[in-house]
């Protein structure tokens, strides 16, 4: 199990490095976030003990269940799932550093109220529904700037950028427009020069489309099963172009 997991991490990190080089970007600009939904504490520990520092849960219940097991290992925890307002107290109790899925004013208001009461602040990303799919959460792109303006009024919320879940497709060119929308929104918000707003982070791209996301400006890519599941491809797929297996 450990050997496979470390192999997968090496493959993903090499993909990120190669994608950055192809796009003319510094690999240090792109962070690997390990999406740990359904992954046991034991397997997460292997990743954390081997150089990884950034993890994220989709569900508050899993965050709670794994907290005691992982708290002794240095790491940063983000939350990337849909956050219900009645779960805000848990997010703060279990040391979430960033909520990547802030997508509505009501949630921002409730977060601010709780943070104010506890004299805390938290980093957030504004989630945008760039694929226009009804099954996905996120503010519509044409409402994102207005939501950003309203969130900027809450001093406890430190907006660091935007997040999106691209179209579910194995064809990169079908997903690319989602990433372009997020990048364009980032640039629009920067031009608006809204106080209390930073736009340094673009969280977009997963295991199937991280190269495309990096080309379009991602600073955080979220990878789960490609690390914690079975091996993705043989080493030769990434490192040895002369090997006939490369094109299989």
């Amino acid at each position: 199990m450990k050997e496979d997991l470390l192999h997968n991490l090496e493959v993903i990190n090499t993909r990120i490095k190669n994608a950055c080089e192809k796009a003319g970007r510094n690999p240090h600009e792109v962070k690997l976030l390990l999406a740990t939904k359904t992954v046991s504490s034991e397997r997460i520990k292997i990743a954390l003990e081997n150089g990884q520092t950034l993890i994220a849960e989709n569900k508050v219940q899993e965050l709670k269940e794994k907290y005691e097991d992982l708290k002794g290992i240095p790491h940063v925890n983000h939350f990337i799932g849909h956050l219900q307002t009645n779960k805000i107290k848990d997010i703060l109790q279990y040391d979430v550093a960033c909520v990547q899925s802030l997508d509505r004013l009501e949630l921002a208001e409730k977060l601010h109220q709780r943070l104010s009461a506890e004299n805390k602040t938290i980093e957030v990303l504004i989630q945008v529904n760039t694929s226009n799919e009804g099954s996905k959460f996120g503010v519509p792109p044409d409402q994102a700037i207005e939501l950003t303006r309203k969130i900027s009024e809450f001093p406890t919320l430190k907006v660091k950028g935007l997040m999106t879940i691209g179209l579910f497709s194995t064809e990169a060119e079908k997903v690319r427009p989602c990433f372009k929308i997020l990048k364009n929104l980032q640039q629009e918000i920067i031009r608006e020069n809204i106080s209390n707003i930073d736009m340094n982070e673009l969280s977009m791209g997963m295991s199937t489309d991280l190269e495309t996301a990096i080309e379009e400006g991602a600073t955080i890519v979220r990878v789960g099963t490609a690390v914690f599941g079975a091996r993705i491809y043989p080493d030769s797929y990434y490192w040895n172009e002369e090997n006939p297996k490369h094109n299989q």
Side-chain angles (χ1 to χ4, degrees):
M1 180 180 73
K2 180 177 179 179
E3 181 185 339
D4 285 351
L5 198 158
L6 295 182
H7 170 93
N8 291 346
L9 276 171
E10 189 174 5
V11 169
I12 289 294
N13 279 303
T14 298
R15 284 178 60 189
I16 292 171
K17 178 175 175 287
N18 290 345
C20 286
E21 289 176 356
K22 181 181 176 184
R25 297 182 60 193
N26 185 336
H28 296 297
E29 294 176 6
V30 181
K31 295 181 281 289
L32 171 60
L33 180 150
L34 298 180
T36 51
K37 177 183 177 182
T38 74
V39 179
S40 69
S41 299
E42 289 71 25
R43 297 168 79 197
I44 298 170
K45 281 180 183 178
I46 294 170
L48 295 179
E49 289 167 352
N50 286 274
Q52 303 307 302
T53 58
L54 184 58
I55 64 174
E57 290 290 348
N58 287 70
K59 295 185 179 298
V60 172
Q61 185 59 36
E62 286 197 58
L63 183 70
K64 293 164 69 173
E65 289 170 356
K66 301 170 192 176
Y67 178 75
E68 287 297 325
D69 287 340
L70 300 177
K71 70 177 184 179
I73 306 173
H75 67 281
V76 176
N77 215 333
H78 286 200
F79 188 78
I80 56 176
H82 182 65
L83 181 57
Q84 298 171 311
T85 55
N86 65 349
K87 300 290 187 182
I88 287 172
K89 64 181 185 300
D90 295 319
I91 289 290
L92 303 185
Q93 182 179 348
Y94 294 102
D95 296 338
V96 169
C98 178
V99 175
Q100 291 202 12
S101 49
L102 182 54
D103 62 353
R104 59 202 190 279
L105 185 59
E106 179 199 15
L107 178 58
E109 290 171 340
K110 298 286 188 183
L111 262 172
H112 172 65
Q113 288 170 10
R114 187 81 190 194
L115 287 159
S116 295
E118 297 188 18
N119 196 28
K120 293 179 177 178
T121 63
I122 197 168
E123 294 185 358
V124 297
L125 302 184
I126 296 172
Q127 182 176 357
V128 184
N129 184 348
T130 56
S131 65
N132 198 33
E133 293 173 284
S135 60
K136 292 204 178 109
F137 295 104
V139 62
D142 61 356
Q143 298 174 30
I145 295 178
E146 182 60 26
L147 179 62
T148 303
R149 286 189 183 283
K150 291 177 177 176
I151 292 172
S152 73
E153 297 173 7
F154 301 121
T156 61
L157 304 180
K158 306 302 181 184
V159 179
K160 296 300 180 183
L162 306 173
M163 183 270 262
T164 197
I165 300 170
L167 186 73
F168 288 129
S169 173
T170 56
E171 297 179 48
E173 292 312 310
K174 289 186 176 180
V175 187
R176 189 183 298 276
C178 298
F179 302 149
K180 283 185 175 294
I181 287 170
L182 203 71
K183 180 65 178 180
N184 289 338
L185 262 177
Q186 178 200 40
Q187 297 305 304
E188 286 185 52
I189 294 169
I190 289 171
R191 287 193 293 272
E192 293 288 326
N193 196 28
I194 305 168
S195 61
N196 196 35
I197 298 292
D198 289 328
M199 275 289 131
N200 295 325
E201 303 290 0
L202 286 182
S203 176
M204 58 187 192
M206 296 184 279
S207 58
T208 56
D209 53 26
L210 65 86
E211 285 86 357
T212 308
I214 288 170
E215 285 176 23
E216 298 301 334
T219 64
I220 301 171
V221 292
R222 308 181 304 272
V223 178
T225 53
V227 167
F228 295 108
R231 290 191 174 189
I232 311 158
Y233 295 108
D235 287 352
S236 57
Y237 186 88
Y238 296 106
W239 288 294
N240 185 0
E241 294 189 358
E242 302 306 315
N243 191 311
K245 290 182 179 179
H246 176 75
N247 293 316
Q248 288 184 1

